[in-house]
Amino acid sequence: MLAVFEKTVANSPEALQSPHSSESAYALKDGFLANHFGSVNPNSVTLNFGSSGFVSYSLDNNNPRVPRLFAVVDDIFCLFQGHIENLPFLRQQYGLSKITNEALIVIEAYRTLRDRGPYPVDKVVRDFQGKFAFILFDGVNKTVFAASDVDGSVPFFWGTDAEGHLVLSDNTDIVKKGCAKSYGPFPKGCFFTSSGGLRSFEHPKNELKPVPRVDSSGEVCGATFKVDAEAKRETTKMPRVDSSQNWAGHI
């Protein structure tokens, strides 16, 4: 799976940018990274969101242990990879049918946060028990929501291209094609939102600090993010979407 979002939609952390960022490509320009993904995955599908970015996915070489899923409901798009073990409980909690899959669960959880809050975002994501990584895009509100499980069981990477656009994928080679050295593994036990940035749902009261990554040649190559045991932050909630302020600003 692959997603690229324009920097005004999802601003990637500055720490991901390598000193050698000039080597990065222009992921959105002329459909560069989408075209590359299509050449590597001939049966892939790309959904273009205009100036906001795009998502691409392919079911080729799908691993049954961590399968890829795609769903869209009311202009909310979700790419999901993995399994949620407590799916029956979540279906019941959200009032969904027995055929609801993981991608649809993520969409419904997001809609609950957006429309019926306030709820702590970290608690909602923490309720997903299993091996997973997902990317969600709300085409109406132009917001991004992404997360990885507490063990980082599913390969998931992110980076920033030459123009500062956010790149997310389960394929490290795809991310490197668009970001060169300005990338890293998506932090396990964390979620990212457009306005709230990166947060830990495993340790929601702690800040995250970037740690520079160094490749085999000794050059700085993006960053990893670790929980800062000393720095605390306030728990925040999402107000209803029809309140005076947008939910994304309160994550």
Side-chain angles (χ1 to χ4, degrees):
M1 59 184 180
L2 167 67
V4 180
F5 298 108
E6 207 274 337
K7 60 186 176 183
T8 60
V9 172
N11 192 19
S12 58
E14 289 185 13
L16 279 178
Q17 190 167 3
S18 165
H20 307 281
S21 57
S22 59
E23 301 174 8
S24 301
Y26 295 86
L28 286 177
K29 188 175 182 180
D30 299 323
F32 170 75
L33 205 55
N35 292 336
H36 175 70
F37 185 88
S39 68
V40 176
N41 303 279
N43 297 317
S44 63
V45 174
T46 294
L47 300 174
N48 197 316
F49 304 130
S51 61
S52 296
F54 70 88
V55 297
S56 297
Y57 69 97
S58 171
L59 299 182
D60 291 343
N61 302 314
N62 211 357
N63 184 344
R65 296 179 60 186
V66 284
R68 301 185 201 99
L69 299 170
F70 172 77
V72 55
V73 178
D74 296 337
D75 217 24
I76 302 172
F77 304 81
C78 181
L79 297 172
F80 183 97
Q81 186 166 353
H83 281 296
I84 293 179
E85 296 170 358
N86 60 332
L87 199 56
F89 167 78
L90 293 172
R91 286 171 179 151
Q92 184 177 19
Q93 176 174 298
Y94 290 108
L96 301 172
S97 72
K98 293 181 179 180
I99 62 172
T100 301
N101 65 24
E102 286 90 342
L104 289 169
I105 286 286
V106 171
I107 290 175
E108 187 60 28
Y110 167 80
R111 291 205 300 182
T112 299
L113 288 167
R114 186 193 67 181
D115 301 341
R116 307 175 205 163
Y119 298 109
V121 186
D122 55 86
K123 183 182 184 305
V124 172
V125 183
R126 198 161 57 245
D127 282 344
F128 299 156
Q129 298 172 11
K131 301 178 179 180
F132 65 84
F134 67 78
I135 306 164
L136 179 147
F137 176 68
D138 182 340
V140 175
N141 292 307
K142 302 293 187 287
T143 54
V144 174
F145 183 26
S148 175
D149 70 65
V150 295
D151 296 316
S153 306
V154 176
F156 196 30
F157 306 91
W158 65 339
T160 180
D161 78 344
E163 296 180 295
H165 305 321
L166 180 67
V167 179
L168 297 143
S169 180
D170 61 335
N171 188 320
T172 183
D173 291 332
I174 294 289
V175 175
K176 286 193 287 187
K177 186 74 174 179
C179 306
K181 295 182 181 295
S182 297
Y183 81 100
F186 191 93
K188 60 184 180 180
C190 292
F191 65 91
F192 173 87
T193 58
S194 292
S195 295
L198 185 67
R199 296 280 306 275
S200 169
F201 64 82
E202 190 178 17
H203 302 282
K205 294 183 179 180
N206 295 90
E207 296 281 0
L208 292 163
K209 61 180 179 181
V211 179
R213 296 172 65 239
V214 179
D215 64 15
S216 58
S217 64
E219 294 183 342
V220 175
C221 182
T224 57
F225 292 81
K226 305 293 184 182
V227 173
D228 189 337
E230 303 300 324
K232 302 293 184 180
R233 66 182 303 163
E234 295 182 7
T235 300
T236 55
K237 300 179 181 180
M238 294 183 184
R240 290 173 181 253
V241 73
D242 58 355
S243 65
S244 60
Q245 297 182 15
N246 186 279
W247 69 269
H250 288 253
I251 300 176

